[in-house]
Amino acid sequence: MPATHEVTNQVPVLTGYNVADDPALLAGLHREGAGWAEPELRELGALAGGEQAQEWGRLANENPPKLRTHDRVGHRIDEVEFHPHWHDLMNVAVSHGLHGTPWQDDRPGTHVARAAKFYTWGQVEAGHSCPISMTYAAVPALRHNPELAAVYEPLLAAREYDYGLREPRGKRGLIAGMSMTEKQGGSDVRANTTTARPVADGYVLTGHKWFTSAPMSDLFLTLAQAPGGLSCFLLPRVLPDGTRNRIHLQRLKDKLGNRSNASAEIEYDNAVGWLVGEEGRGVRTIIEMVNMTRLDCVLGSASGLRYGVVRAVQHAEHRNAFGRRLVEQPLMTNVLADLALEAEAATTVAMRLAGATDRPGEAAFRRLGLAVTKYWVCKRAPMHAAEALECLGGNGYIEESGMPRLFRESPLMSIWEGSGNVAALDALRAMAKQPDSVDAFFTEVESAAGADSRLDDAIAAVRKELADFEQIEYRARRIVESLALVLQGSLLVRHAPTAVADAFCASRFGGDWGIAFGTLPPGSDVDAIIERARV
């Protein structure tokens, strides 16, 4: 090999580390009552940081699922074919209880433990998190029909991944999907036209669904127009008599990211479904599922933020330019520290909301806290991914770095379960219809009162904004952003190291912060902040 091909100043592949070695994550795990889960979390983190799992994720992403509508002789089969490592990823997730397990676990902090594992394992490959999230979120909605819940909930919580098209009650474990939106309505599900006609043993559904998450699932929650109005139904892919339900997969979506996961258009052709909840109360029923998947949107974005900043820091530590390592250059340290602040704030608030999920008495706080956080954290993810990618320079633009995959994935959580405007309006709806959520929210953020004058001023300012109802819908994004930031600031002031809390308040509330990442004010302890992003 000629000397011209000598490899120097290249960054080693980041592998063989523990993804769970995340100070903000571990602190949140213990603070929110799930310290007992740390050994399993660390076991999962070691697997997630290993070469084998990273290879699973790469191959599952590079070999997206294929739709097989018919067999070779023309029989309709409606199957989705996945790369074998997709099933490896799913098996690990299910066996570690990232799906419905918390609903069958009476230990305190079980939703926090699950959240931490979901955040950790999602850094291997985000696509397979979708069916895992759907299965987790299906249970509270399903409980609106106690008879169905008694049959299927234990299987949705079972730690066994049993893939294949068979009658659900005969399987060792189940995966659930969701089928809500239609092409004419999108988020406006009340515009749905799919119909549900009562028959002797349930209902038969007819219509087209524009997006169906995880179409290879065993069960689906869906919305359709029954005689009494828009209603929620449970549909199995295989009926109790062993025949296939008339759910036809028309095509798989060709998506920007989330490539390893299948999303489909489907047809219900007199498909059999069972009512969940009451006729006419479908939105209220399925919102139980949405409230859980929105938490996973926050966790998924926070996981991506952590993934990006860890790789940006690792690159800067090993790459030399202009006579110094990148991590020693002031402007780069400003960028890295700003990225690390964003990631730590997202992780901290995600774990706080997971803790509120475990405590029914905090439902009012969770209602508004989750709405504003879903908007803000998920909205920040694409900008964060772009900046983290840029820290790697041209190498970050190359697929082998993993950063393009992160970048393509990053907008999804802001779109899924209500894009930015829907999320902002949901926060306004919470404030209007559940005033106790506003009281609970400010009780939470004002528990840090007096600790940082910049935070105090920001809280006072957003209270003043809420008091001015003129054009409040027009100003919704600005108000929701402010609420999200004061919640993050309050949590960091109370729970994060001084360097983190001070830099966050100085930049996000102090008025000396630019628009791009890397504009932290002078005096920020960037070295201490970056240290928390090293692995």
Side-chain angles (χ1 to χ4, degrees), residues 20 93 139-140 148 158 160 200 229 236 290 333 344 350 391 448 454 456-457 482 485:
V139 172
L148 291 176
E160 292 198 59
V290 173
T333 61
E344 179 148 351
C391 288
R454 296 160 298 194
D456 292 342
D457 291 344
S482 298
L485 285 170

Side-chain angles (χ1 to χ4, degrees), residues 203 255 515:
Y203 292 74
K255 298 171 292 185
I515 293 179

Side-chain angles (χ1 to χ4, degrees), residues 291-376:
N291 281 336
M292 293 299 153
T293 47
R294 282 179 175 164
L295 174 61
D296 282 359
C297 289
V298 174
L299 288 163
S301 289
S303 177
L305 267 59
R306 175 68 179 180
Y307 178 98
V309 73
V310 163
R311 277 150 184 78
V313 169
Q314 191 249 1
H315 179 87
E317 286 188 311
H318 290 88
R319 183 77 165 176
N320 285 281
F322 309 110
R324 287 183 295 176
R325 291 186 304 155
L326 287 175
V327 78
E328 296 170 341
Q329 302 192 26
L331 190 52
M332 179 58 83
T333 61
N334 196 324
V335 172
L336 295 173
D338 212 353
L339 291 172
L341 279 181
E342 197 75 29
E344 179 148 351
T347 302
T348 302
V349 73
M351 294 302 287
R352 175 68 185 93
L353 292 167
T357 304
D358 268 310
R359 296 185 283 274
E362 294 188 347
F365 161 69
R366 186 186 185 278
R367 175 67 182 94
L368 182 54
L370 179 57
V372 301
T373 300
K374 197 279 183 190
Y375 169 82
W376 179 244

Side-chain angles (χ1 to χ4, degrees), residues 36 40 73 125 131 137 141 152 168 244 249 261 319 349 354 439 467 501 519:
W36 51 266
E40 185 182 5
V73 296
E125 165 50 40
Y152 295 112
R244 294 171 184 259
L249 309 187
N261 179 45
R319 183 77 165 176
V349 73
D439 295 337
T519 54

